[in-house]
Amino acid sequence: QKLMLYGFWSTLAFPVNTFLALRVVCPDASFLHFLAKLSAVVYMLCCFANWALHLLWLIQCILDGALSPLEWACTLLYLAAISALVNDDVKLMLWLRSFSSPRRQG
């Protein structure tokens, strides 16, 4: 369920994929810098909402004491697995914020 939640929030960040495609197809387009900034904001909002929901879920599990030892092991394994995704998300956010189109560089 939580992985589907992560995937759902990722689909809401579709402007990022649009930007990533357009920077290859139209590398000299004047709107790329604006689209990069817009994509960064959308992506940050989606990621922060996603991470907040995951954190609330984890806190709720801890407060309820509802997890068996096996469920705790699965939860920790899940959190370890998505930490790689979170790391990738952070790198993409930083890259989007610092993007400079070839036209703006030269």
Side-chain angles (χ1 to χ4, degrees):
Q1 289 176 338
K2 301 305 176 225
L3 191 55
M4 289 183 67
L5 177 69
Y6 204 95
F8 167 75
W9 280 99
S10 296
T11 62
L12 295 179
F14 67 88
V16 175
N17 293 326
T18 303
F19 165 73
L20 292 174
L22 287 176
R23 74 183 171 91
V24 174
V25 176
C26 310
D28 295 327
S30 60
F31 59 85
L32 282 180
H33 186 71
F34 169 76
L35 188 55
K37 299 304 176 199
L38 175 67
S39 296
V41 170
V42 169
Y43 200 59
M44 284 180 199
L45 291 173
C46 288
C47 285
F48 292 147
N50 194 353
W51 300 338
L53 288 173
H54 274 77
L55 184 61
L56 289 173
W57 162 70
L58 182 61
I59 291 169
Q60 187 66 40
C61 288
I62 292 169
L63 294 178
D64 288 349
L67 297 178
S68 69
L70 179 60
E71 290 170 322
W72 267 112
C74 290
T75 298
L76 292 176
L77 187 61
Y78 170 75
L79 292 173
I82 67 164
S83 68
L85 297 174
V86 170
N87 183 50
D88 189 56
D89 289 340
V90 170
K91 287 180 182 179
L92 181 55
M93 279 188 259
L94 293 173
W95 183 81
L96 286 168
R97 284 189 57 209
S98 66
F99 175 79
S100 181
S101 64
R103 171 179 261 180
R104 292 177 64 94
Q105 291 174 353

